[in-house]
Structures are given as structure tokens and as C-alpha cells.
Amino acid sequence: MRKRTAALAALIPALLSTMTGLAPAHSAPRAPAAVITLTYDADAAGPWADSVKQAVQNWNDAVHNVRLEPASTPGSADYVYEATSGWPQTTLGPIFPGGGGDVQLGQQAVDEGYDAIRITAHETGHILGLPDDYSGPCSELMSGHGPGTSCTNAKPDAAEAAQVDSNYAAGVAAPHRQRHQVVVDIWSGRILTGSH
């Protein structure tokens, strides 16, 4: 009996040392959700082409559940960028594959002195489902024109990126309601009257 007790006493520390590196079964990591790819067409972006590339890169660097890529063929994009002479306006998402979103990159905002990359990244934020927050600081991309023309930040902050990741967390298999609301961004302090 003493031999068994001695053997068991020697075995217990060995068993405990092998178990200390194990994580509890309930903390096993979940499989990551499939990344949703949204395609865009920037053929009509004209002078905004470089701004589109940089804005897309800024979003792709910040988020994990959605990726923005150029469409492989004309007419197959989930959303389009186009240069216009008016104010920027965008379909409010989140846009999903097949969504038919539109980003109008309005020259009037640049004429007012706002940064083209910030405008483009801000409008892309609408495609990804983010509303305006004009009272926010310059570090918040969706503050748009709120901080004034000196603000050139074109990158989403951590909260904005987290919201976009949340918007796309369920993947494409989940049912999604396609919105057809358009956000018109007036990048100035002036208030326009009349219907838009």
C-alpha cells in the first residue's frame, strides 16, 4: 500500500504540471466569420480616382469583416463612385453584395476647401452603414465638415471601425434589408433650403 501511495504522490505533481498549460474548454476561440467582399466601380470618379484608392485602403486597413475591392467587370459593382459638380451624397448602407449603392463625390465640397480624401472616406463610411456625426472631433471621420477645413483626417477611429465590423458580422447568409436612403452631405456652414 505504501508503494502505491508513494507512486500516486509522485504522479500528482506530474499531472498538475501538464494541466497548467491547458485552457478551459469554454474559452476555445470561435471560427472567424467569412469576410464580405464589396466591389466598387470608380471609372466615373475622374479627378477623384486617387482619393478613392486611398479612402478604400484606409477602410480596408481599419476593418476586418468587410473588404472593398474594385469590380472585375463594368456594371457588376456593388456600388459606384462618380464625380459630380454638386454636394457629396451617398446611399446609406450597410450595402451588401448586389446592393446597388452610389457615392457622388461633389466638387462643391472641395471648392469650399475640404480635403478630397477625407470626403471620399467619409462618403464610403455611409456605404458601410455609418451616419453623420457633425458634432464629433476631427479624429472621427464621420464628423465630416464639423471640425472645419483644417481637418484632413481620412481614417476611421476605433469606434467607427468597430461599428462597421458589427454591421457585417453576420455575413452574407443572414437576411439584410437593403436601404435606399440617400445622405446628402453639405460640406459648409451654410444651410440650404428647399427639397433635396
Side-chain angles (χ1 to χ4, degrees), residues 153-168:
N153 171 49
K155 295 181 179 182
D157 69 13
E160 292 167 325
Q163 181 59 56
V164 168
D165 277 334
S166 176
N167 291 347
Y168 291 93

Side-chain angles (χ1 to χ4, degrees), residues 40-49 52 70-77 79-83:
Y40 65 88
D41 181 350
D43 288 348
W48 296 80
V52 168
S72 57
T73 57
S76 68
Y79 72 98
V80 298
Y81 291 99
E82 62 178 305

Side-chain angles (χ1 to χ4, degrees), residues 97-116:
D102 183 47
V103 178
Q104 295 183 19
L105 299 166
Q107 183 61 38
Q108 280 186 279
V110 174
D111 293 346
E112 289 278 334
Y114 292 95
D115 182 73

Side-chain angles (χ1 to χ4, degrees), residues 36 38 66 78-79 91-102 126-129 168 178-179:
I36 294 173
L38 288 182
V66 62
D78 299 314
Y79 72 98
T91 307
L92 179 60
I95 297 294
F96 285 86
D102 183 47
H126 289 317
I127 287 288
L128 300 173
Y168 291 93
Q178 294 292 351
R179 296 183 189 186

Side-chain angles (χ1 to χ4, degrees), residues 81-152:
Y81 291 99
E82 62 178 305
T84 66
S85 60
W87 294 104
Q89 59 184 3
T90 305
T91 307
L92 179 60
I95 297 294
F96 285 86
D102 183 47
V103 178
Q104 295 183 19
L105 299 166
Q107 183 61 38
Q108 280 186 279
V110 174
D111 293 346
E112 289 278 334
Y114 292 95
D115 182 73
I117 298 172
R118 179 171 170 82
I119 294 166
T120 309
H122 173 93
E123 299 305 323
T124 303
H126 289 317
I127 287 288
L128 300 173
L130 298 180
D132 289 313
D133 181 12
Y134 295 138
S135 64
C138 179
S139 59
E140 186 179 289
L141 179 60
M142 299 313 291
S143 64
H145 66 76
T149 56
S150 63
C151 177
T152 60

